[in-house]
Amino acid sequence: MLAKVCSAAVNGIDAYPVEVEVNVGFGDSLTVIVGLPDAAVKESRDRVSTALSNSGFKFPLGRTTINLAPADVRKEGPSFDLPIALGILAADDQLATDQLDNFVVVGELALTGAVRPIKGVLSIALQARAEGRTGLLVPAANAPEAAVVKGLLVVPIQNLREAVSFLEGGQQIEPARVDLGEMFNQPLPEDMDFADVKGQENVKRALEIAAAGGHNVLLIGPPGTGKSMLAKRLPGILPPLTLEEALETTRIHSIVGLLEPGQALVTRRPFRSPHHTVSDAGLLGGNIHPTPGEISVAHHGVLFLDELPEFKRAVLETMRQPLEDGRVTISRAAGTMTFPSQFMLVAAMNPTPDGKMPHESRSSPREIQNYLGRISGPLLDRIDIHVEVPAVPFREMTALRAAESSAVIRERVMVARERQRERHRHQPRVNCNARMGTRDLKQHCALDDTTLELLKFAMADLRLSARAYDRILKVARTIADLAGQDRITSDHVSEAVQFRSLDRQIWG
């Protein structure tokens, strides 16, 4: 007898439907899985047969053929265990139901028959809704994640017997539900507040501008000046994630396996800080079957690269295209994948090889230039703001006056972002000043004669590139937005120019 069960799999960050066809016939006792299964899928035969036995069911005698359609797409992972088990029971007349066409079924089976969580459930739930399915049978641990998708009946399954009883109508299971409003109203973590940072007002100002316009930042200073401390607090002053942004971010985290047990949605902007020994595949994504890397996991959040010159130059150069386009395309023999990677880059570095300021360093000028030369000019051009992080004076470290909190800074950032959204309301892809194109610069960053002459002098004096010119205009536009002004003035341009420390190569 033949039975069909609707399932799904993930390719990149998108899901696609998979039909599990099971035929139980006569002949020698043999179970065959076809449809380009990988090793984990092939091992389903042993997991499913043992789970059926331990759940009180019989594994059918004779030849059992399991086809995973479409047959020309490789199937990976253990998520087909539960639909294969239900298909075998239906084909062997041990499951009597007409509900299999209404539900998409996914889940890994333990040998006891318990259903274990899988990766990528949010993408699968979105695909099930797009197909017009009534609901989704998922492992109970994945149910909150799937319940984020409205208009879909999400049934949490604890074990195989429970799934059979539900489909036959013998057991009612309460659908999973989540409160999105409560998730987004979570307070900011108290241990990551700018109020804890003593001094460094100029750096805080630079990070506020960066947050308001979505600009990339490079922090330059000796060890112990608070570069990492400041960078880790940047997500706290960024605007809250929208529902659409949260869904995109959660899909990536789900596929990579970064969601905590029972977590339904990523509601805080990600902060990723890979070690400087990271490979290009770890940063961009890749492997034999492409998976998201750190720059995609940081989507809609912050990617922090500490000790920037210590990263392999070839690895850093791979970020140039994603920084411009907001996505990364990876081509491998197994196929081509495109992952979103719209992140803010925050990097930190010492001014000299020994970590001291140039006038205190024992390094020669050539050694300092070689150290700075590890970062290419094209990459530096893509970093809008270079800011010096000096040592904090003792009087500021011991000052009792409370510093400005992240909540206060965040309010100003959100007001500036709202001005940008209104300005680009007809351009969905431009959600902040850093994403403006050439035409947007001409339209929204017009300068008067005095301001233009000032910028012309700065370009000639610092020998800036055309890309650096665009970056200065974007930062000046953000400074004007924070000031609530429609036109860019010479004061805004002057402040934007002084955030090009590595172009000036002057510290202290």
Side-chain angles (χ1 to χ4, degrees):
M1 183 176 175
L2 176 67
K4 297 179 181 180
V5 181
C6 301
S7 188
V10 176
N11 187 25
I13 64 169
D14 297 316
Y16 62 94
V18 174
E19 190 172 72
V20 179
E21 299 175 317
V22 181
N23 185 77
V24 175
F26 300 100
D28 296 334
S29 294
L30 180 66
T31 302
V32 179
I33 300 179
V34 296
L36 284 182
D38 72 348
V41 179
K42 291 178 181 178
E43 291 170 354
S44 291
R45 291 174 299 192
D46 301 314
R47 287 193 299 271
V48 169
S49 63
T50 307
L52 287 172
S53 176
N54 289 332
S55 299
F57 300 103
K58 295 179 181 179
F59 196 85
L61 300 175
R63 183 181 179 89
T64 301
T65 304
I66 302 164
N67 179 43
L68 307 178
D72 60 342
V73 180
R74 187 172 179 82
K75 318 302 185 307
E76 300 176 348
S79 62
F80 300 109
D81 288 2
L82 183 58
I84 287 175
L86 294 176
I88 290 174
L89 292 176
D92 198 41
D93 293 329
Q94 298 183 65
L95 169 62
T97 181
D98 58 356
Q99 294 296 313
L100 288 177
D101 286 339
N102 297 328
F103 289 91
V104 171
V105 184
V106 291
E108 176 186 350
L109 285 177
L111 299 184
T112 60
V115 181
R116 290 174 171 163
I118 62 170
K119 299 177 182 178
V121 166
L122 179 55
S123 296
I124 292 172
L126 291 168
Q127 174 63 31
R129 184 177 66 178
E131 289 181 56
R133 302 293 179 186
T134 302
L136 182 67
L137 265 63
V138 296
N142 292 130
E145 177 187 345
V148 170
V149 180
K150 299 302 181 185
L152 194 66
L153 182 69
V154 177
V155 182
I157 300 298
Q158 298 282 356
N159 54 64
L160 180 58
R161 289 204 64 85
E162 189 176 71
V164 171
S165 179
F166 171 78
L167 290 172
E168 290 182 331
Q171 180 177 351
Q172 297 296 320
I173 300 177
E174 187 67 23
R177 295 183 177 87
V178 293
D179 187 344
L180 293 178
E182 183 180 348
M183 292 181 190
F184 282 98
N185 287 332
Q186 294 180 357
L188 295 173
E190 296 181 358
D191 60 339
M192 288 294 173
D193 200 303
F194 269 99
D196 302 328
V197 182
K198 299 289 186 180
Q200 305 294 18
E201 298 304 323
N202 185 53
V203 185
K204 292 178 185 178
R205 168 66 175 171
L207 292 178
E208 179 180 341
I209 294 169
H215 303 290
N216 303 319
V217 187
L218 176 59
L219 305 175
I220 313 161
T225 55
K227 300 187 294 294
S228 299
M229 184 180 185
L230 287 158
K232 290 177 181 178
R233 282 156 176 74
L234 179 58
I237 64 173
L238 290 172
L241 286 170
T242 64
L243 178 58
E244 182 181 353
E245 290 174 337
L247 288 173
E248 286 184 357
T249 305
T250 305
R251 289 172 67 190
I252 298 171
H253 283 234
S254 176
I255 289 163
V256 179
L258 293 176
L259 290 183
E260 298 177 2
Q263 183 179 7
L265 199 66
V266 176
T267 56
R268 292 176 181 166
R269 295 194 178 268
F271 180 88
R272 303 296 297 176
S273 180
H275 193 261
H276 64 261
T277 57
V278 67
S279 66
D280 54 353
L283 193 65
L284 260 69
N287 300 320
I288 299 175
H289 302 285
T291 55
E294 289 288 348
I295 65 173
S296 295
V297 177
H299 185 52
H300 291 314
V302 175
L303 178 69
F304 178 50
L305 302 183
D306 200 7
E307 304 296 343
L308 186 65
E310 301 301 327
F311 285 78
K312 296 176 184 177
R313 180 160 179 161
V315 173
L316 293 178
E317 293 305 301
T318 59
M319 291 198 302
R320 285 160 54 176
Q321 180 254 338
L323 282 171
E324 288 288 331
D325 300 339
R327 61 183 182 274
V328 56
T329 300
I330 301 169
S331 297
R332 294 290 187 271
T336 299
M337 301 288 178
T338 298
F339 301 117
S341 58
Q342 199 171 104
F343 60 94
M344 278 183 62
L345 173 63
V346 180
M349 61 176 289
N350 297 327
T352 60
D354 58 7
K356 297 182 180 179
M357 301 303 285
H359 63 279
E360 300 172 338
S361 175
R362 294 183 179 181
S363 302
S364 67
R366 180 179 293 276
E367 289 174 332
I368 295 176
Q369 287 300 321
N370 289 340
Y371 176 74
L372 298 177
R374 297 179 188 176
I375 310 169
S376 69
L379 179 62
L380 280 177
D381 280 348
R382 288 169 170 81
I383 301 178
D384 308 354
I385 297 175
H386 313 159
V387 60
E388 180 188 342
V389 187
V392 182
F394 180 78
R395 65 178 182 277
E396 292 187 7
M397 285 192 291
T398 57
L400 298 178
R401 180 174 59 88
E404 200 170 32
S405 69
S406 293
V408 174
I409 301 174
R410 191 187 202 189
E411 288 298 322
R412 294 197 296 266
V413 168
M414 290 173 64
V415 170
R417 284 285 185 112
E418 184 57 38
R419 290 176 64 88
Q420 294 165 45
R421 277 193 293 270
E422 178 63 24
R423 185 184 302 130
H424 302 288
R425 60 185 178 276
H426 301 303
Q427 300 170 280
R429 292 181 61 86
V430 183
N431 55 7
C432 60
N433 287 334
R435 297 291 168 188
M436 287 193 295
T438 304
R439 292 184 179 179
D440 300 316
L441 289 176
K442 291 180 180 178
Q443 182 178 356
H444 304 299
C445 300
L447 305 178
D448 58 34
D449 293 340
T450 303
T451 307
L452 192 61
E453 190 65 26
L454 171 66
L455 185 53
K456 177 183 176 181
F457 174 78
M459 291 288 296
D461 187 48
L462 300 180
R463 299 179 182 178
L464 300 178
S465 67
R467 185 177 282 111
Y469 169 80
D470 289 347
R471 303 287 172 175
I472 289 173
L473 285 182
K474 292 177 182 179
V475 173
R477 177 68 268 169
T478 301
I479 295 171
D481 288 336
L482 281 169
Q485 298 183 17
D486 294 327
R487 296 195 61 83
I488 299 174
T489 67
S490 56
D491 290 341
H492 305 145
V493 171
S494 297
E495 186 174 5
V497 169
Q498 67 99 13
F499 287 131
R500 304 295 300 184
S501 292
L502 275 189
D503 293 324
R504 294 183 285 122
Q505 294 198 2
I506 300 172
W507 299 280

